[in-house]
Amino acid sequence: QVQLVESGGGLVQAGGSLRLSCAASGRTFSVYSMGWFRQAPGKERDFVATVNRNGDTTYYADSVKGRFTISRDDAKNEVYLQMNSLKPEDTAVYYCAAVRNNWASTRANEYEYWGQGTQVTVSS
């Protein structure tokens, strides 16, 4: 089992940047593919980005491609989401998730473990 804790959210102006971090407990972080999802008020939880456990495959939602970058540091048991050129429509609660496989999953229902979320608010 793994526990996930997100951090790094906050309030930023449009065009700004934030870096989200997700710290995972346990010694087997390297066997998990990791993903970031987000949920805006009144909307479903949407896929943002994912990286497989080897770190050699990443996928991004079209809405964030070219602006967001997912990365992982297995030595620190952490995964990151660098968010640049933020837009008001990026405002949401961002969740980190983990699944024990080696393919970069884009479907929320494939993930086994979830963090509590961190709020990102982008003002216009």
Side-chain angles (χ1 to χ4, degrees), residues 95-113:
Y95 297 90
C96 171
V99 58
R100 192 180 177 119
N101 63 29
N102 193 35
W103 54 90
S105 302
T106 63
R107 299 179 179 179
N109 61 9
E110 294 184 1
Y111 284 82
E112 301 168 275
Y113 305 104

Side-chain angles (χ1 to χ4, degrees), residues 12-18 67-68 82-87 90 122-123:
V12 64
Q13 289 187 334
S17 298
L18 282 175
R67 300 188 298 122
F68 291 10
Q82 178 66 45
M83 306 186 295
N84 299 328
S85 302
L86 283 160
K87 305 175 181 180
D90 294 319
V122 184
S123 63

Side-chain angles (χ1 to χ4, degrees), residues 67-84:
R67 300 188 298 122
F68 291 10
T69 302
I70 188 171
S71 61
R72 62 187 297 157
D73 186 337
D74 288 356
K76 295 183 178 180
N77 282 10
E78 292 187 343
V79 63
Y80 310 101
L81 186 68
Q82 178 66 45
M83 306 186 295
N84 299 328

Side-chain angles (χ1 to χ4, degrees), residues 7-119:
S7 61
L11 174 64
V12 64
Q13 289 187 334
S17 298
L18 282 175
R19 187 193 193 210
L20 304 184
S21 298
C22 173
S25 64
R27 303 179 183 178
T28 59
F29 176 75
S30 61
V31 306
Y32 292 93
S33 292
M34 303 297 296
W36 285 97
F37 292 79
R38 66 186 181 186
Q39 188 167 18
K43 296 188 177 181
E44 295 184 350
R45 189 169 297 189
D46 291 332
F47 165 72
V48 175
T50 180
V51 58
N52 69 339
R53 70 183 184 194
N54 289 348
D56 57 6
T57 300
T58 58
Y59 294 120
Y60 296 92
D62 288 342
S63 59
V64 307
K65 206 171 291 183
R67 300 188 298 122
F68 291 10
T69 302
I70 188 171
S71 61
R72 62 187 297 157
D73 186 337
D74 288 356
K76 295 183 178 180
N77 282 10
E78 292 187 343
V79 63
Y80 310 101
L81 186 68
Q82 178 66 45
M83 306 186 295
N84 299 328
S85 302
L86 283 160
K87 305 175 181 180
E89 51 263 43
D90 294 319
T91 295
V93 177
Y94 283 70
Y95 297 90
C96 171
V99 58
R100 192 180 177 119
N101 63 29
N102 193 35
W103 54 90
S105 302
T106 63
R107 299 179 179 179
N109 61 9
E110 294 184 1
Y111 284 82
E112 301 168 275
Y113 305 104
W114 292 83
Q116 83 290 348
T118 185
Q119 176 71 47

